[in-house]
Amino acid sequence: MTNDFADFPYKALRVDREGPVLRVRLNPSGQDSTLNIAALDDLIALLNSLHERPDIQVLVLSALGDDFCLGADRDEYQAALAEDPTGAATRRIVDKAYRVCDALETTHAVTVARLHGRVVGAGLALASFCDLRAGADTCRFRMPEVGLGIPPAWGGAMGRLVAESGAARIRELMLTGEPFDAATAHRIGLLHKVAPAGELDATVDAWVRPLVRRSPEALTLTKRMLAGYARADRTADVALLDAHLLTAQLGRPRPQRAGRHSAAPVSGP
């Protein structure tokens, strides 16, 4: 099958086309599991290109390596702040995250997240904007932002997560930062299906096969109707402020805790 998407020089994605199905894999090096600038730029370029590709009906988002995603690259945030103390450069990075998530929610293609390993912070946010989500039973999830001293402001995910799983559970998981497993993610609606790791591809394909037989117009219309109703529930959505909120918090000096001098983890929201 000709992969006409391979002509674009993606740096942080592997993209394969199988007829009306596009399989997009993060982290092609198998080493860096963070959503860095290169990954955001590639995702924006890819999702924007779908405007001219009505023949793509399904997009499957997964990752190579041991984990789906460990969060955003906080080193890039700090480097951007050091280079531009006004915060403008950092806001541009976070605005890219919003553009990616908005494009996932509004693209005509049905988006399927295939999750494995750890799904942390921005990785969970990214997955939440996919229409369908399947995870291996060994998946582990976490929302670590509050523990890192920053607001959960990446991609407009708070509104999406609350709409998908309910305010009570998302409030608990965001405030406590407690890790949770695939069974819990399924129970609260963050995963639609859970499968043994060896059966995850078959589980995803069981969705994909009937989807590509559906009328493309009916799929697109249904997806956009659902997105419209979901967004109606977020009439007070302040996602466009996320870049300002996160940049302002990152720019504040962090108080040193007595007896602790280790650096904060690199990956985060």
Side-chain angles (χ1 to χ4, degrees):
M1 183 77 62
T2 300
N3 182 18
D4 44 350
F5 286 86
D7 296 334
F8 190 90
Y10 297 108
K11 297 178 182 178
L13 302 178
R14 176 177 166 182
V15 181
D16 297 295
R17 179 190 171 197
E18 300 171 3
V21 180
L22 204 62
R23 297 189 185 272
V24 180
R25 297 172 176 90
L26 302 168
N27 185 23
S29 68
Q31 297 175 351
D32 185 0
S33 298
T34 59
L35 277 169
N36 54 24
I37 296 172
L40 295 175
D41 285 341
D42 280 358
L43 285 167
I44 289 170
L46 174 69
L47 291 165
N48 284 344
S49 75
L50 294 184
H51 292 303
E52 306 300 325
R53 297 302 303 268
D55 55 315
I56 300 300
Q57 291 177 243
V58 180
L59 185 155
V60 179
L61 180 64
S62 61
L64 299 169
D66 294 333
D67 302 295
F68 176 74
C69 182
L70 297 180
D73 190 331
R74 294 179 69 240
D75 279 352
E76 288 185 338
Y77 293 163
Q78 298 297 345
L81 273 175
E83 183 177 338
D84 180 6
T86 70
T90 308
R91 287 195 295 274
R92 285 195 294 273
I93 297 173
V94 185
D95 278 336
K96 289 180 180 183
Y98 175 83
R99 290 163 59 193
V100 168
C101 293
D102 182 67
L104 273 175
E105 186 174 28
T106 59
T107 184
H108 68 276
V110 176
T111 53
V112 180
R114 177 201 181 279
L115 307 178
H116 74 285
R118 289 174 290 178
V119 185
V120 178
L124 178 55
L126 184 72
S128 75
F129 279 91
C130 290
D131 299 310
L132 299 170
R133 298 175 292 273
D137 57 4
T138 51
C139 275
R140 293 296 180 269
F141 301 84
R142 190 161 62 93
M143 302 178 192
E145 292 87 348
V146 173
L148 295 172
I150 54 179
W154 192 97
M158 182 181 289
R160 175 76 176 193
L161 288 165
V162 167
E164 295 289 288
S165 297
R169 293 313 310 269
I170 296 303
R171 182 185 300 116
E172 176 192 6
L173 295 169
M174 281 186 173
L175 291 177
T176 66
E178 292 179 352
F180 55 102
D181 59 14
T184 300
H186 181 257
R187 187 170 66 251
I188 66 176
L190 288 178
L191 287 179
H192 296 102
K193 289 189 178 180
V194 177
E199 299 174 16
L200 186 55
D201 286 327
T203 299
V204 169
D205 288 343
W207 276 333
V208 171
R209 285 192 298 272
L211 283 171
V212 298
R213 295 196 296 267
R214 305 285 188 257
S215 159
E217 293 79 10
L219 281 177
T220 299
L221 180 57
T222 301
K223 170 168 176 166
R224 289 182 172 166
M225 289 173 67
L226 288 166
Y229 283 114
R231 288 190 167 203
D233 286 340
R234 301 180 347 232
T235 52
D237 194 350
V238 293
L240 289 174
L241 299 178
D242 277 5
H244 298 272
L245 292 168
L246 188 54
T247 302
Q249 191 67 19
L250 286 169
R252 294 178 59 187
R254 297 186 64 185
Q256 293 291 326
R257 295 183 181 180
R260 294 188 63 182
H261 304 286
S262 59
V266 172
S267 59

